[in-house]
């Protein structure tokens, strides 16, 4: 299943835990697309890299790179 993820740039510890809980329940992910922004995009990217390195992960980098989490 293909999923796209996006969300707030402002994500605290509780938000990161919630994102991880939701992603842990999505066991049918085969492809994911995220933005490259700080916050939810970066949190999803880190989670997938650490736990699901077998899936295809596309990152859409915005023209304004001032908030990109390299």
């Amino acid at each position: 299943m293909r999923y796209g993820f996006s969300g707030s740039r402002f994500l605290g510890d509780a938000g990161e835990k919630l994102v991880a809980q939701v992603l842990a329940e999505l066991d049918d992910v085969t492809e994911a697309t995220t933005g490259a922004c700080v916050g939810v995009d970066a949190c999803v990217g880190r989670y997938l890299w650490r736990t699901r390195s077998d899936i295809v992960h596309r990152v859409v980098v915005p023209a304004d790179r001032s908030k990109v989490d390299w």
Side-chain angles (χ1 to χ4, degrees):
M1 176 76 62
R2 295 178 183 168
Y3 288 93
F5 301 95
S6 187
S8 175
R9 290 181 181 168
F10 306 102
L11 185 67
D13 292 339
E16 286 201 30
K17 288 179 184 176
L18 178 60
V19 169
Q21 288 173 349
V22 169
L23 291 171
E25 293 181 21
L26 297 176
D27 57 358
D28 62 345
V29 178
T30 58
E31 296 183 25
T33 302
T34 65
C37 195
V38 297
V40 171
D41 295 350
C43 180
V44 169
R46 282 190 306 271
Y47 180 89
L48 294 176
W49 180 67
R50 290 178 183 149
T51 64
R52 297 294 311 275
S53 61
D54 59 314
I55 71 166
V56 175
H57 179 198
R58 290 177 186 84
V59 179
V60 178
V61 179
D64 175 5
R65 296 184 179 153
S66 64
K67 300 292 184 191
V68 169
D69 184 341
W70 296 103

